[in-house]
Amino acid sequence: MKPRPSTQPVRTSAAPQAPAVSRAGKGAVSPASGARGGAPVPRGASPQVATASVVQPWSTPTGLPSESKLIGGEGRPCVMTPAWVEAVAVAETGEWLPKVGQWTDDRRLSWKKFELPSTTKEGGDAAVDEQMLIRLYDGKRARGMVRVSIQHALPRLRRHSDAQPAESVAQSNESAASPGATPPVEPTHWHRAAEIAHRMVDSHVELIARLSESTGRDEETFHDGPGGGTPIWPLGRVLDMWRSMNDHESARPPLIVQMARTLSQLLTEVCTQPRQILTRQRRLQNAGRIAEVDADCLRWLARQPGKTVAEKAGAKQRAMGIARVEHADTLENRLVRDLVRRSISACDAYLAEHAPVGAVAGAADADSDVSAVSKFSLTLQQLWRTSPIANVGALAGLPRPNHALQHDRRYKAIWKAYVMLVRQQVEQDQAWRWRHRMWAEACLLALLASLAEVSPRASALQSDVLLRAGQLCGRSIDERSGLGRFDVIHKDAGSTIMLITGDQIPDYRAVAPFPEELQRMSPDAVLICREAQWPDKPPRQVMAVWTMLDFDLNSDELAERASRIDVGLRLIRSASKLSGLVIQPAIGGRAAATIDAGTCRGLRVTLPLQPHVSQLAEHIVKEFGLR
Amino acid sequence: MTVATIDSRPASRLQPACDMPVGVWLDPVEPQVAVVESAAAAREADLVASSDAAIPASVLVPRFSGEPVRVDRVWPPHPRGCGERWPAEARVNDNVEPGRLPVAYAWMMLHQQQTAQSPLWRWRHDDGESTLAPAEAIAHTLADLTRTFAPGGDSASGVGGGAGARSCVTVVPDGLCEPARHALIAQSRQLGVNVRLLWRSVASTMAWCDEWASELDPPSNLRDALSRTPGSLLCLHLGLTHWELSIVDLVWRETHHGLTLTPLRRRPTAPMLPSFALELLHRVARRSLEMSYQQPTAGRVWELMWCTPWLNRVIDLLADPAPSRGGGPADGIEPLHNLSPHVRAREFIRQQWRQGMQQLFGSTRDTTGMVPHHAAMTPTNDRIRDWCAGHRKAIDGRTLVGAVVTGQVARVAVDGEPLGLRYLRDIWPRPMNAMLAGQSHTPVGLLARCGAEHAARLRAAAESGEDQAMFLDTLPRIRVAAMKDGRPQWLDLVDDHDLPVTGHVRWHRFERLAGLGVRAGRPAITLALWHDDLPTVHTVTGRLPQRLISPRRFNLSVSIDPGQGFPRIEATPMDDPEGGTIAIPIDWRTLRDTGRTPEAYVKA
């Protein structure tokens, strides 16, 4: 039995809008209005029938895309294209989509799979729909443009608006988070789910920010290249940091709290007494007091009627001269203004999220974070209204720091805070857009922590983890981070487990046998278990892991996804035993739920992931027979 | 007082020893560090047992920009260059140098250095190529060991040999050429370690004297001591990478303790012999994998050799007549489950070793897991025999009073007899007062211990301001090309090159070498040097403050710290019209090989 293709095709012929999608969370693609009705396909390449289709990561349709219904909830939309498409970019932002798979089907037609970003729309208690235009590139030229519709996606929280108290949402959710088949939940849970997703994204961004900071660095284990290049940490240290993210006592306060505690006085000082510069301006002045003129002033004077200077100065006896004027409209002050504006926004967002909790639990604590941010917000608003900084011009883009920003005692600290705040905001925007991939990376760390629990003295814990300066499509860990092996002893025998990430599979296949059909299914990670005694034999077992940041709010799709992957895995011929694992987040405070679908298991875990490490480790031990 | 061999324990468990004398012997398999309170205490120090988790020290070649050089010496190893197929940086293939440079290979490369240009370890990876000089690798290992076992100092202010630098004495082979020694000192200094080199033969002699000096009849007075020398000592090192034989004369010197037996080291006359042990152990590793039905690929052999404690265990098995660590060969290495099948029975290992020694290989044979250009160095049986015979002739007629045999191969027992004693007899048929390092009655960590003892003595001498000789050394012969009487000649820069000098005291040339002419328009002084450690002529320059507008003559002053790298040469202008006496130092970083022999250079 072959897996049912889950595609939504776009015909290359001029077609009306894509068929309406009735079920929740479906992605659809259609040719963009004004775009060419399908790109010419090079000879010998894939069929000219479809330009692109939306599929799920594990789907590998073997036939021509048909009008069949999309399977899955919101899922994790990928766009499948013929192989002549070299690259796909989002038209609005220009960002390139990551390629997650490439394969040749039974008819020797080649295909590629690119992962789509998710929605960015803000919303309240309901799902959001969003459309995006994507360009298909053949080499250097764009050969077509299609519109992708993503529906019933998680809304981005309006952090400035009044947030719903988390407690009440948690209580109303208790009944809904039962394992197995979950009854449809009420629309209010969209907000709760978005909140959980936001927390996950923020936590991951914070983790990467902590790892990327070079303060207190250890030369032996951390380094960054020239110009703030690649920070590298041993995996063991990364996992320690990841575990500590759930430790509230040792957790670092959010950036805005740190700013509220450290920057308030400095900002007040700078805003009230900003750095000023003298400029020379040509102005009409009292003729007797002109101290300096230039050629332009003389030309002005020559143009005036009259013979003598006194006549030319007119009745008011004013002439053009150069005056020295002091003003504060400088780059560094514009930056201060922008920092104040952004900080007010960040304070509002923080207070919207934390103030209700703080008002109940920590009202008596005048030194609480909420209190500090609240005071900081008031100070900033007052400065915005009354200080000279309010009158300087707006900043366009992120500037290159001038001498004052780099070396002035006051502005140096402000520049550092500004860069951190801007970076955090950009990171959070990007991370929300690519939340599926960020969730995949968070799950990857959880898997590694589980493996470290199974094998606490592993070579892999010494591996170098390379961090990108900024995340790329939701991935902050560079794919060049090669992880070593985890050694496990059981029953007087040994096993080795290796974790290969999805984007490393092509490289891994170049040096070791790996089923091609499994690569087509684009898993996020693969765990490969071998007998330590027989390292040259094929692996004993391969477990592929898919992750999906989908709360299944309309209907529980986890079982269906697991069963579809199970069917796909059963069709693969391999000397190794194959199994699958799908990890999805759960809403509510219940323990994780597991769904068994033959070779594939679905795991729904509550967030944060840190407490579930033991459960994941247990699952790995059981799956690989390491007891 | 703490003397430690390398283990995996955190440094905090050792006594803080930030300002205590440190001695290091960077053995390719099991480096040794000794930290002592005083010279006298070094002999009575207790030793900490080596850990089962220690692997042969290796240096990870940096791959990324700004990545530090890291030392890997504890199991489990870093994945880089560990021989696995994945990740990519772990791979080891035939004919390719991987991303891990074992200290053993670094020593081999350093021994091979014949010119100013150091050979480089080249690692080709997905991002390009990274290189590492062997002196840099050894300096990093030295710094790492010093930091771990003698914590203290300040890394930041110690860089470049500043105030926060740590100090240590490192034992080095006698045959190490001067550019290699100079590079080792310079690299260590950059890493915040002020290293002082001690000849291996001198360290061995110091250990021998501690044990056997009482056997010799001390002279009754100084006149008697000067007229009668006790004889010479034969120092044989049978290491994993190289073999070396040195003859050290013993002389009586008067100190404030009375007459003391002092080593007098002569310049080595015979080259070192590459050891067969490394290739032999590769073959044993390969055979062991085959016996376990595993493919003996280059990666697997490499992993077994350099990324597990296999090598340490096998040498222990070969050396010990009775197991010192439990009953079975794999005892104590339970965590290394995939290693246990390869540490096979003692008899298997010994049989493989014995067979290998009988064959002693042609270089055309398969040497899986070895870096190729090192594999060809293994000597044949005939060459070893010739080497022994050559040394037998050299010692003929000399009064030998004893012998010290060191090195991992010396410990290996074949047919119930350590190889060290067997090869010693090939050279000296009737040895007496022989001391074999690693035997039960000799102190463990002998070379490191002597290094620490020397460090303690240096410190005491510096504090008391005394100038007593700890050992006597012979300076290298260095000559400079100059026109004299209208024809080119080689003039000695070191005029005392055949006389013994005090080992730890800087030597100064008594008279300046006068009249070195430099033509007008030259921006620098260039000297052509003939160093007896180097087969070809090298040039070295000292930059002048400005181009000369007229021909000038310079005086050269020379001073040397014996055994501590290149001499310090300064050029001072003669008859400066402005009365200036600015000394222009010769910069040894500008050392370049001309590729010509001294005869050819002078003719040209």
Side-chain angles (χ1 to χ4, degrees):
Chain A
M1 176 182 163
K2 289 185 177 178
R4 190 152 50 106
S6 54
T7 59
Q8 184 66 41
V10 173
R11 299 290 173 186
T12 50
S13 56
Q17 287 295 313
V21 181
S22 57
R23 295 185 63 187
K26 291 163 184 151
V29 289
S30 63
S33 56
R36 287 187 295 168
V41 181
R43 187 179 295 172
S46 307
Q48 299 187 7
V49 180
T51 308
S53 313
V54 168
V55 295
Q56 291 299 307
W58 55 81
S59 303
T60 54
T62 51
L64 286 173
S66 66
E67 295 292 341
S68 62
K69 285 195 297 185
L70 284 175
I71 303 299
E74 185 214 359
R76 189 170 166 186
C78 297
V79 62
M80 182 179 126
T81 66
W84 61 262
V85 176
E86 293 287 330
V88 181
V90 180
E92 288 92 341
T93 59
E95 65 188 325
W96 299 102
L97 302 187
K99 190 173 84 174
V100 292
Q102 179 172 8
W103 73 96
T104 306
D105 66 15
D106 296 343
R107 296 173 304 130
R108 298 191 177 179
L109 300 174
S110 298
W111 304 93
K112 283 180 185 162
K113 210 186 301 178
F114 298 87
E115 183 158 3
L116 285 165
S118 200
T119 56
T120 53
K121 269 189 182 172
E122 291 187 346
D125 285 345
V128 294
D129 300 341
E130 194 165 305
Q131 289 194 343
M132 71 182 78
L133 281 173
I134 56 172
R135 283 202 182 95
L136 310 181
Y137 285 83
D138 166 21
K140 292 178 181 175
R141 294 176 56 193
R143 303 295 294 266
M145 190 186 283
V146 287
R147 176 172 286 118
V148 180
S149 171
I150 297 175
Q151 298 175 346
H152 292 259
L154 275 183
R156 189 169 188 194
L157 286 185
R158 283 198 197 100
R159 290 187 162 186
H160 301 259
S161 64
D162 49 345
Q164 194 173 359
E167 296 295 322
S168 61
V169 177
Q171 284 172 6
S172 63
N173 189 42
E174 291 266 319
S175 58
S178 59
T182 313
V185 289
E186 295 165 15
T188 52
H189 290 167
W190 285 103
H191 185 279
R192 173 66 176 148
E195 213 170 51
I196 293 171
H198 263 291
R199 211 165 291 155
M200 184 279 296
V201 165
D202 290 352
S203 169
H204 196 75
V205 169
E206 173 68 11
L207 170 72
I208 301 300
R210 278 198 206 182
L211 288 169
S212 300
E213 278 177 12
S214 58
T215 50
R217 71 183 191 179
D218 177 357
E219 285 179 4
E220 286 301 298
T221 52
F222 176 87
H223 64 85
D224 53 6
T230 312
I232 299 181
W233 287 86
L235 177 64
R237 296 274 290 270
V238 172
L239 293 180
D240 287 345
M241 187 81 86
W242 181 79
R243 286 186 203 103
S244 74
M245 294 300 290
N246 197 37
D247 181 5
H248 294 290
E249 287 180 3
S250 67
R252 195 176 61 165
L255 179 61
I256 192 63
V257 176
Q258 291 179 49
M259 286 173 64
R261 292 191 187 283
T262 57
L263 270 190
S264 183
Q265 195 177 349
L266 180 65
L267 265 179
T268 309
E269 188 187 324
V270 169
C271 289
T272 50
Q273 295 175 333
R275 187 169 178 272
Q276 297 190 331
I277 55 169
L278 275 174
T279 53
R280 290 146 57 100
Q281 289 184 358
R282 292 183 198 92
R283 284 184 175 178
L284 285 175
Q285 302 171 43
N286 192 325
R289 291 188 180 174
I290 290 175
E292 191 179 356
V293 290
D294 65 356
D296 280 347
C297 297
L298 292 175
R299 274 195 287 273
W300 178 89
L301 194 67
R303 282 199 301 269
Q304 303 308 311
K307 290 182 180 174
T308 64
V309 174
E311 287 175 8
K312 285 174 183 285
K316 292 184 179 176
Q317 285 298 292
R318 290 171 71 84
M320 182 74 80
I322 291 175
R324 289 174 178 258
V325 181
E326 204 174 37
H327 71 91
D329 192 8
T330 60
L331 177 71
E332 59 271 17
N333 289 326
R334 289 181 180 191
L335 187 127
V336 173
R337 179 183 183 271
D338 202 45
L339 176 65
V340 171
R341 185 180 65 80
R342 286 175 182 271
S343 300
I344 290 172
S345 173
C347 285
D348 289 350
Y350 180 84
L351 291 173
E353 195 172 341
H354 295 87
V357 179
V360 176
D365 186 5
D367 291 336
S368 70
D369 292 349
V370 173
S371 166
V373 174
S374 180
K375 280 182 195 167
F376 186 49
S377 176
L378 286 174
T379 308
L380 291 173
Q381 284 171 18
Q382 192 179 359
L383 290 172
W384 183 257
R385 284 195 305 270
T386 59
S387 72
I389 285 292
N391 300 324
V392 303
L395 192 68
L398 185 67
R400 294 187 67 167
N402 60 9
H403 186 269
L405 289 172
Q406 288 183 75
H407 301 292
D408 187 287
R409 181 185 58 80
R410 301 184 305 169
Y411 285 90
K412 197 162 70 173
I414 284 176
W415 166 249
K416 191 179 172 189
Y418 180 78
V419 169
M420 287 170 75
L421 187 65
V422 169
R423 185 176 168 184
Q424 189 194 54
Q425 289 174 348
V426 169
E427 284 286 302
Q428 283 173 347
D429 290 349
Q430 281 290 311
W432 181 253
R433 189 172 163 78
W434 290 100
R435 54 186 177 271
H436 282 293
R437 287 171 69 81
M438 192 148 277
W439 166 246
E441 199 165 88
C443 289
L444 185 76
L445 289 174
L447 280 171
L448 287 167
S450 317
L451 288 170
E453 200 166 288
V454 176
S455 170
R457 206 180 158 200
S459 157
L461 297 177
Q462 316 237 10
S463 311
D464 293 331
V465 176
L466 282 77
L467 299 173
R468 290 203 175 94
Q471 53 133 335
L472 182 68
C473 298
R475 287 287 164 88
S476 303
I477 297 177
D478 196 305
E479 68 268 13
R480 288 177 298 170
S481 311
L483 303 177
R485 66 175 188 227
F486 291 87
D487 299 313
V488 189
I489 307 165
H490 62 102
K491 293 179 187 170
D492 301 332
S495 299
T496 61
I497 303 175
M498 298 190 93
L499 190 145
I500 317 290
T501 58
D503 40 15
Q504 290 174 337
I505 291 176
D507 290 338
Y508 181 77
R509 277 195 66 205
V511 295
F514 187 86
E516 190 194 350
E517 295 90 340
L518 186 57
Q519 186 191 351
R520 289 182 196 176
M521 295 175 75
S522 310
D524 286 305
V526 179
L527 297 178
I528 296 171
C529 180
R530 293 175 190 279
E531 300 280 0
Q533 301 277 1
W534 316 112
D536 305 312
K537 287 194 171 180
R540 190 175 67 207
Q541 190 167 350
V542 176
M543 183 166 82
V545 182
W546 287 267
T547 64
M548 192 155 292
L549 188 66
D550 191 347
F551 293 86
D552 288 345
L553 295 180
N554 284 311
S555 61
D556 192 349
E557 304 279 357
L558 180 58
E560 192 174 347
R561 284 176 188 140
S563 64
R564 295 193 66 78
I565 290 173
D566 171 53
V567 171
L569 291 175
R570 283 174 194 279
L571 290 173
I572 298 173
R573 285 185 189 174
S574 170
S576 313
K577 184 187 167 193
L578 300 182
S579 61
L581 176 68
V582 184
I583 306 176
Q584 282 191 209
I587 198 166
R590 292 278 178 91
T594 309
I595 288 168
D596 218 337
T599 58
C600 185
R601 191 165 289 189
L603 199 62
R604 201 187 287 283
V605 290
T606 51
L607 295 181
L609 282 169
Q610 282 84 349
H612 299 292
V613 165
S614 299
Q615 189 196 1
L616 275 172
E618 186 72 17
H619 177 75
I620 290 167
V621 166
K622 192 175 165 189
E623 195 66 32
F624 289 148
L626 302 177
R627 280 188 200 285
Chain B
M1 172 185 63
T2 306
V3 176
T5 53
I6 301 314
D7 68 1
S8 60
R9 300 174 319 145
S12 57
R13 287 180 58 187
L14 293 171
Q15 291 177 13
C18 52
D19 58 346
M20 292 165 90
V22 180
V24 182
W25 162 236
L26 272 182
D27 187 90
V29 178
E30 196 172 20
Q32 298 161 354
V33 180
V35 185
V36 297
E37 277 177 358
S38 64
R43 298 168 203 175
E44 300 152 11
D46 294 326
L47 275 166
V48 178
S50 176
S51 163
D52 280 329
I55 61 174
S58 304
V59 176
L60 304 179
V61 184
R63 177 181 173 191
F64 303 104
S65 162
E67 182 182 340
V69 176
R70 287 170 287 176
V71 179
D72 199 16
R73 52 185 173 79
V74 179
W75 193 91
H78 189 282
R80 185 171 300 168
C82 75
E84 277 282 353
R85 279 182 291 188
W86 184 264
E89 66 174 2
R91 274 173 234 152
V92 175
N93 298 317
D94 279 324
N95 304 319
V96 175
E97 290 166 342
R100 168 184 296 263
L101 169 54
V103 169
Y105 279 113
W107 274 122
M108 290 179 77
M109 292 169 76
L110 216 55
H111 292 321
Q112 287 171 33
Q113 187 170 347
Q114 293 287 318
T115 66
Q117 301 302 319
S118 165
L120 291 175
W121 185 266
R122 295 178 188 279
W123 174 39
R124 289 182 184 85
H125 47 77
D126 295 343
D127 298 330
E129 184 184 81
S130 302
T131 56
L132 191 68
E136 197 180 348
I138 291 174
H140 274 281
T141 313
L142 194 62
D144 180 70
L145 292 172
T146 315
R147 260 199 304 268
T148 308
F149 292 96
D154 178 12
S155 300
S157 64
V159 172
R166 299 173 182 87
S167 299
C168 76
V169 167
T170 301
V171 178
V172 292
D174 287 37
L176 203 61
C177 73
E178 193 126 337
R181 291 199 306 270
H182 190 82
L184 191 56
I185 292 170
Q187 292 285 351
S188 303
R189 189 174 281 257
Q190 279 192 1
L191 298 170
V193 179
N194 275 333
V195 67
R196 198 164 177 92
L197 308 182
L198 177 66
W199 302 113
R200 184 164 55 200
S201 61
V202 173
S204 303
T205 309
M206 287 162 73
W208 186 91
C209 289
D210 287 346
E211 187 81 19
W212 297 95
S214 57
E215 301 283 321
L216 303 176
D217 293 334
S220 52
N221 53 45
L222 182 60
R223 179 177 293 180
D224 189 19
L226 292 174
S227 63
R228 178 166 67 90
T229 57
S232 304
L233 194 71
L234 188 150
C235 300
L236 178 62
H237 180 81
L238 303 180
L240 207 63
T241 57
H242 274 79
W243 291 7
E244 184 179 50
L245 188 135
S246 312
I247 305 293
V248 178
D249 294 340
L250 296 172
V251 293
W252 293 104
R253 298 277 294 201
E254 191 174 28
T255 65
H256 58 270
H257 297 301
L259 286 170
T260 310
L261 206 54
T262 307
L264 165 56
R265 172 196 168 264
R266 302 285 183 191
R267 299 274 302 160
T269 51
M272 288 189 281
L273 180 75
S275 170
F276 62 76
L278 207 57
E279 185 170 337
L280 188 58
L281 285 165
H282 272 82
R283 289 167 189 277
V284 175
R286 181 191 161 92
R287 186 78 188 114
S288 185
L289 286 164
E290 284 172 350
M291 292 291 287
S292 306
Y293 304 102
Q294 290 193 15
Q295 290 176 15
T297 58
R300 291 270 165 237
V301 173
W302 180 272
E303 182 185 9
L304 205 57
M305 289 282 292
W306 305 117
C307 304
T308 65
W310 181 87
L311 197 53
N312 305 31
R313 296 305 317 275
V314 164
I315 288 174
D316 276 355
L317 284 177
L318 287 166
D320 286 355
S324 58
R325 299 177 189 176
D331 282 353
I333 52 169
E334 285 80 7
L336 317 175
H337 49 85
N338 55 350
L339 174 63
S340 48
H342 310 307
V343 185
R344 310 192 72 84
R346 178 190 311 272
E347 279 315 308
F348 171 81
I349 300 283
R350 285 194 173 164
Q351 183 196 14
Q352 292 299 317
W353 179 278
R354 203 180 298 118
Q355 285 177 1
M357 276 189 63
Q358 285 163 4
Q359 293 170 6
L360 276 181
F361 339 101
S363 58
T364 51
R365 299 280 298 274
D366 177 36
T367 48
T368 309
M370 287 199 83
V371 175
H373 58 265
H374 296 305
M377 292 173 61
T378 301
T380 58
N381 270 323
D382 289 345
R383 194 170 158 207
I384 295 171
R385 206 174 297 125
D386 292 348
W387 186 78
C388 291
H391 282 296
R392 194 163 57 233
K393 275 186 188 170
I395 63 169
D396 199 23
R398 299 187 74 144
T399 312
L400 293 177
V401 293
V404 188
V405 187
T406 54
Q408 300 282 11
V409 176
R411 296 166 54 205
V412 173
V414 175
D415 299 331
E417 186 188 29
L419 280 182
L421 292 181
R422 177 191 284 195
Y423 284 108
L424 177 63
R425 266 208 307 277
D426 284 353
I427 296 164
W428 186 16
R430 290 181 186 171
M432 58 182 199
N433 300 342
M435 186 177 184
L436 181 61
Q439 294 285 79
S440 56
H441 57 274
T442 54
V444 183
L446 178 143
L447 293 174
R449 200 185 289 258
C450 290
E453 187 181 338
H454 185 63
R457 284 185 184 174
L458 284 175
R459 176 164 302 183
E463 285 167 0
S464 64
E466 290 176 4
D467 198 12
Q468 291 176 352
M470 297 161 204
F471 71 96
L472 301 173
D473 203 352
T474 319
L475 298 176
R477 188 171 192 189
I478 308 173
R479 282 161 280 192
V480 61
M483 294 294 285
K484 191 175 181 184
D485 303 332
R487 58 194 180 88
Q489 289 187 16
W490 289 107
L491 306 178
D492 275 322
L493 273 180
V494 182
D495 45 3
D496 286 346
H497 60 85
D498 51 349
L499 298 175
V501 295
T502 308
H504 70 283
V505 177
R506 174 170 289 194
W507 171 90
H508 293 271
R509 185 186 164 95
F510 186 69
E511 282 183 345
R512 290 180 174 184
L513 194 68
L516 181 80
V518 180
R519 290 177 195 159
R522 291 289 174 90
I525 300 171
T526 302
L527 303 179
L529 298 178
W530 174 16
H531 193 298
D532 61 0
D533 273 1
L534 303 172
T536 53
V537 176
H538 285 62
T539 58
V540 65
T541 57
R543 184 152 292 278
L544 293 163
Q546 60 187 26
R547 282 181 184 272
L548 293 178
I549 51 174
S550 59
R552 297 287 296 276
R553 291 189 170 273
F554 289 84
N555 290 332
L556 291 183
S557 61
V558 185
S559 58
I560 300 182
D561 274 330
Q564 308 302 316
F566 288 121
R568 180 178 173 81
I569 305 176
E570 286 180 339
T572 319
M574 292 173 70
D575 308 325
D576 193 329
E578 296 173 3
T581 54
I582 297 171
I584 296 146
I586 298 300
D587 186 357
W588 288 99
R589 288 172 299 183
T590 61
L591 191 69
R592 296 285 178 273
D593 185 12
T594 61
R596 294 179 186 167
T597 59
E599 297 77 19
Y601 188 84
V602 168
K603 278 182 187 172

